[in-house]
Amino acid sequence: MTAPQPPHRPQTERRPEPRPEREPRAQAGPAYGRPPGRRHVLLASGALAAVAAVPAAASSAAAAPVGPELPDIPGMSGDRRANELWYLLDQATLYEPSQEFTDAYHALVAHYGPGWDNILLGTWRRLVTTPTYRREFTDFVAPVRGPLEVMSRVQLGVFDAVYHPANPRLVRAFAEFGQGVLYDPRTGALHVMTGTPPGGYPVWHVVMRAMTFLDVDRHRWERLAPLNAFACAVHLTADPDLEHVNQPLPRRTVRRLAAHWLSRDITRLDEDFQSFPYPQQQD
């Protein structure tokens, strides 16, 4: 993949790209069909991109606060609360976005074009190694501060509805997302980043960078950036099957990846996401 597709889902329905030969994987569950137009990435800058195919009058899906316990859902695989997080993000940014969210998407397209996410990523890659990176990239994204504020408010609202800020259980939510172990009967599919390599992670990092430079919920996104990189590293390590529930990685592997990535700040992650696939762990 030379560049990620518009985040959140492919423009046309397709099966995952061919994968290299490898040892057969023991599956923890049966294959589940993915509904038409399933997202390419779950959220990322991308949370907005899928709105193009959603009627402008689609109803709003605000994430209602949840109590300490969530009702069991028969057939669900993986952590219950982690499934709830990614499910509500899907609802708020894909299946039932608000009019405000839809308008924000159209504002991004109006400014950068339909491939706005690729333009944002490509511009970041061009500038990130230059002495004027911060100033030039900030100037580049400043005209879309309004749409980014909408995206930030919607996404953080979902996070806060399911987890308290800085809740350590968020680590598990990102770890299981990266491993492809979250199957949700409400969508009939896994909650997992798609693409080979999974292009949504670097796009999300770049959008986080844009929001931090513009001081849009800067401290929140600075704290979430290492979790995004951690999930990416888990995904690249697990190499999950995108059509089946996967067996989890050994706990020691997840702990090693967490120790490596969660201590990094967003500036260091700028360096890590320049590698391909991204990010790579140096042992």
Side-chain angles (χ1 to χ4, degrees):
M1 179 182 294
T2 57
Q5 293 292 319
H8 219 98
R9 71 173 193 177
Q11 291 184 347
T12 58
E13 176 66 5
R14 61 181 181 181
R15 306 285 292 184
E17 299 175 13
R19 299 158 61 86
E21 291 296 326
R22 62 179 181 178
E23 292 298 317
R25 181 195 303 273
Q27 295 169 357
Y32 298 102
R34 302 174 71 82
R38 183 65 178 167
R39 67 194 183 286
H40 172 67
V41 328
L42 180 67
L43 37 96
S45 68
L48 302 173
V51 182
V54 178
S59 61
S60 173
V66 296
E69 300 298 329
L70 295 170
D72 290 336
I73 296 180
M76 179 173 284
S77 173
D79 182 75
R80 176 65 181 86
R81 193 164 292 273
N83 269 290
E84 192 71 11
L85 172 67
W86 303 114
Y87 171 77
L88 290 178
L89 281 166
D90 257 356
Q91 293 299 109
T93 64
L94 172 60
Y95 296 120
E96 297 185 36
S98 66
Q99 184 63 53
E100 182 184 33
F101 201 84
T102 303
D103 292 344
Y105 165 76
H106 288 299
L108 285 168
V109 171
H111 187 76
Y112 293 122
W116 66 270
D117 54 308
N118 288 331
I119 292 171
L120 208 64
L121 180 60
T123 301
W124 176 84
R125 285 177 171 160
R126 176 173 58 84
L127 296 175
V128 68
T129 58
T130 67
T132 56
Y133 160 50
R134 183 185 183 97
R135 175 177 58 79
E136 288 198 64
F137 191 66
T138 302
D139 290 344
F140 183 73
V141 296
V144 294
R145 179 190 176 94
L148 291 178
E149 287 177 334
V150 172
M151 183 180 64
S152 177
R153 182 167 62 253
V154 170
Q155 292 182 356
L156 292 178
V158 172
F159 275 100
D160 292 346
V162 186
Y163 295 93
H164 296 298
N167 189 320
R169 292 181 66 182
L170 265 174
V171 175
R172 181 173 183 178
F174 278 82
E176 293 201 0
F177 181 66
Q179 292 172 81
V181 300
L182 298 172
Y183 171 72
D184 196 329
R186 293 172 291 184
T187 61
L190 297 177
H191 293 302
V192 65
M193 197 76 79
T194 56
T196 306
Y201 292 111
V203 171
W204 199 10
H205 174 78
V206 170
V207 173
M208 288 181 184
R209 238 10 204 143
M211 292 191 290
T212 60
F213 285 158
L214 294 172
D215 201 25
V216 175
D217 301 306
R218 175 170 59 88
H219 295 298
R220 295 291 305 276
W221 291 113
E222 286 177 343
R223 290 195 296 269
L224 284 167
L227 284 164
N228 176 56
F230 164 63
C232 184
V234 169
H235 187 119
L236 293 171
T237 301
D239 191 20
D241 186 323
L242 304 182
E243 297 293 331
H244 299 79
V245 177
N246 295 267
Q247 287 190 331
L249 289 170
R251 289 184 180 180
R252 65 181 180 277
T253 300
V254 177
R255 286 196 296 267
R256 173 176 58 82
L257 292 169
H260 184 89
W261 291 106
L262 297 182
S263 62
R264 300 196 167 205
D265 63 26
I266 198 168
T267 301
R268 174 57 193 269
L269 293 175
D270 274 349
E271 300 177 22
D272 296 316
F273 272 102
Q274 294 172 45
S275 65
F276 185 88
Y278 21 66
Q280 294 181 358
Q281 177 168 336
Q282 302 296 325
D283 291 320

